[in-house]
Amino acid sequence: MDGEPLERDVPDPEEKKPGWRQSLKDIFSWRNYTVYLLTAWIFNAMAALWSFFNLYLRTLQWDFMTIVAALSAVALVSVFARLIGGYVGDVIDRKKLAVVAMLMTAVYSLIIGLFTDFSFVFIGLIILGMNDIAKGGASAYIMDNIPSKHSGLALSLFMVGRSLGTVTILVFLIIEPILGFAEAFRHLYLLTGVFLLICAAARAYYLDPNPQKGRVEGTPLWKDFVTENRQAIGILVRMMPGVLVVVIIDSLSDSLFEFGALIYTNEILGVSYQGIAIMMFVYLVILTPLLLKTGRMSDTTGARRAALTVYIFMPICAGLLLIAPIFPQWAPEWMIVAADARMEGLGVIFTTPFLAIVIKMVTDILWYTILLALIRKRIPRKDTAKILAMFWAVVYLCQSIGPLIGGIVFTYAEQYYLFVIVLGLNLLILGALAKNGLVSDEADAPESQSPEE
């Protein structure tokens, strides 16, 4: 096989931390990482459009409760798909799952780009949710072969692909005034589908096979499935109980913010589609250096310090949206007028919602980079797909509740109450992190160690 997987590294507290150049050399010495990374970058570049999705549904005349019903249904589908995917990812060749994951995302993108009817859009969303059957094994394909001592940096490089979304946003800013918001959105989704089909073909051709052990012979499929997933959740609970509690509360908080922030910014605070696109552009520009810095921080200084450094900004963002109707801008009016004169929507950078949303989106990505790096360092190698599946199943289950609460608040109460709830949840998590950290033992568990040892 061209390019063998990197050797597993057992952490040595006396070992000198490698420099940037050596770390990158170690990470890219496995050819499959490069192929997977490039296709993931293309996906992440186009994924910048997802931020506009709720706004797009509003242009299709979907009311809040319809959006709630659709998003909650998709989240629940994702929960069960992840559970199935965790099992599938440990018994089926993970290369095939990496290809299928990209192919299903391409199909979803093509459907959204071609159709506006409710039934087709909903079918596309369900396909996206079912894609989690393949995503667990697809993620495990790479995570299984990232050396532990470089896991923070290696995972950060995947997230860096989101910064390529600046190209997508620039194209959107050019064509939106010509086509209008909805048409520009659909055209870019259609283009996304085409690019992802090419990425699926590239993975099928270039990635090396990654066969798994297969399931236990003579055991009923349902029983094997239940046993394997019960063991996976047991490992998570035993090794990282604090992480699970924090993830449950944070997932609910994130889903509430994600559901309502841009709708609130557009419909209540009066920020234009062009202004929101500029928010997305700035967020993507500043993301790369912060991701790389945070990834290295989690490798060199520990998860607790990195988590606290990042999460302290979460309640600040919710608070900024709460005061935005009273203090809508942080700069003089003439600066906003001058910026808008240069480019439509550019004045948004001097507004309070700009600070709230850009900081929130950046910290969300940094936060999950820290969590995934921590999980990567502490879980047994042979259970990677199942444990990742259980982790994301917990996240999706909590996220399915968020839109329901958000829709009820937006429909029957003042919309700012949503951010009061988010602020309370953020402060609760921040207190827990300051007191207990993410894990009781910052030292990485040796990856060769089984859960029973």
Side-chain angles (χ1 to χ4, degrees):
M1 181 171 68
D2 185 12
E4 291 294 324
L6 295 165
E7 294 182 359
R8 318 301 294 173
D9 297 314
V10 177
D12 181 358
E14 301 299 324
E15 182 182 1
K16 184 179 179 181
K17 297 294 182 181
W20 278 87
R21 181 178 297 180
Q22 184 59 47
S23 296
L24 291 173
K25 182 179 178 181
D26 290 346
I27 292 169
F28 284 102
S29 63
W30 189 40
R31 188 198 67 180
N32 287 341
Y33 179 87
T34 304
V35 174
Y36 200 102
L37 181 67
L38 291 176
T39 54
W41 275 0
I42 294 173
F43 165 79
N44 281 328
M46 309 307 289
L49 295 172
W50 176 255
S51 299
F52 299 108
F53 199 79
N54 285 358
L55 290 174
Y56 172 68
L57 296 180
R58 293 291 284 168
T59 69
L60 298 182
Q61 306 303 311
W62 287 32
D63 60 37
F64 292 128
M65 296 310 293
T66 302
I67 296 174
V68 164
L71 296 183
S72 294
V74 172
L76 288 174
V77 169
S78 295
V79 170
F80 292 105
R82 270 287 177 176
L83 292 175
I84 297 171
Y87 175 80
V88 169
D90 285 333
V91 298
I92 292 179
D93 187 340
R94 290 174 179 168
K95 171 192 172 176
K96 296 177 181 178
L97 296 176
V99 174
V100 170
M102 192 64 74
L103 185 61
M104 291 183 72
T105 308
V107 171
Y108 150 76
S109 300
L110 292 172
I111 290 174
I112 299 300
L114 291 171
F115 304 103
T116 59
D117 183 74
F118 173 85
S119 57
F120 281 103
V121 174
F122 186 70
I123 289 170
L125 288 170
I126 293 298
I127 290 173
L128 182 66
M130 292 178 64
N131 187 27
D132 281 283
I133 294 176
K135 280 168 66 176
S139 299
Y141 181 90
I142 286 298
M143 288 189 72
D144 235 11
N145 291 277
I146 295 173
S148 177
K149 63 182 178 181
H150 301 310
S151 57
L153 178 60
L155 290 171
S156 295
L157 287 172
F158 275 95
M159 298 295 191
V160 162
R162 291 175 179 265
S163 294
L164 299 177
T166 53
V167 178
T168 307
I169 298 299
L170 281 175
V171 173
F172 177 84
L173 285 168
I174 293 170
I175 67 176
E176 193 273 338
I178 302 170
L179 300 178
F181 175 79
E183 283 298 315
F185 183 87
R186 281 200 296 274
H187 276 69
L188 287 176
Y189 248 82
L190 190 60
L191 186 63
T192 296
V194 174
F195 277 130
L196 296 186
L197 285 176
I198 295 172
C199 288
R203 287 186 174 187
Y205 184 79
Y206 289 108
L207 290 181
D208 294 316
N210 185 222
Q212 299 304 301
K213 63 182 180 181
R215 72 183 192 89
V216 179
E217 294 295 335
T219 304
L221 180 60
W222 69 267
K223 186 174 181 180
D224 194 29
F225 171 78
V226 170
T227 300
E228 293 284 343
N229 279 289
R230 186 172 56 192
Q231 290 176 352
I233 192 64
I235 293 169
L236 268 180
V237 170
R238 286 197 303 273
M239 298 185 70
M240 293 178 289
V243 171
L244 275 182
V245 173
V246 168
V247 163
I248 288 170
I249 302 173
D250 182 63
S251 298
L252 176 59
S253 167
D254 282 350
S255 63
L256 287 169
F257 193 97
E258 183 178 340
F259 170 81
L262 291 185
I263 294 176
Y264 177 76
T265 299
N266 177 248
E267 298 184 6
I268 302 300
L269 303 180
V271 177
S272 67
Y273 293 128
Q274 289 280 104
I276 290 174
I278 290 171
M279 288 183 186
M280 299 302 106
F281 180 83
V282 174
Y283 142 68
L284 292 168
V285 166
I286 66 177
L287 183 62
T288 297
L290 290 175
L291 268 173
L292 295 175
K293 177 65 176 177
T294 303
R296 285 284 288 174
M297 184 189 299
S298 70
D299 288 340
T300 59
T301 65
R304 179 171 185 168
R305 180 178 174 184
L308 270 173
T309 302
V310 169
Y311 208 87
I312 197 169
F313 291 99
M314 299 289 196
I316 294 174
C317 298
L320 286 172
L321 280 184
L322 277 174
I323 67 171
I326 304 171
F327 303 102
Q329 58 200 52
W330 57 268
E333 183 68 27
W334 65 265
M335 295 182 69
I336 298 176
V337 173
D340 282 334
R342 289 181 173 273
M343 177 182 176
E344 182 182 353
L346 187 60
V348 74
I349 64 176
F350 301 110
T351 66
T352 305
F354 170 86
L355 295 177
I357 290 174
V358 169
I359 294 173
K360 169 66 174 174
M361 295 185 75
V362 169
T363 50
D364 275 345
I365 299 299
L366 300 181
W367 171 248
Y368 275 100
T369 300
I370 292 169
L371 287 180
L372 289 174
L374 179 64
I375 291 171
R376 167 63 189 81
K377 290 177 180 180
R378 296 180 67 87
I379 62 177
R381 176 182 179 184
K382 68 184 182 67
D383 297 309
T384 304
K386 289 192 294 293
I387 294 175
L388 282 175
M390 294 305 304
F391 172 79
W392 286 114
V394 170
V395 170
Y396 293 159
L397 183 60
C398 298
Q399 286 179 344
S400 69
I401 303 171
L404 177 61
I405 298 173
I408 292 172
V409 171
F410 271 30
T411 302
Y412 301 108
E414 295 292 337
Q415 294 188 5
Y416 70 84
Y417 282 119
L418 183 72
F419 304 105
V420 174
I421 299 172
V422 172
L423 178 60
L425 293 173
N426 289 163
L427 290 174
L428 182 63
I429 294 173
L430 191 60
L433 290 175
K435 183 177 181 180
N436 302 314
L438 277 170
V439 290
S440 58
D441 181 9
E442 289 286 359
D444 297 336
E447 296 179 87
S448 59
Q449 177 178 318
S450 69
E452 294 76 26
E453 289 177 344

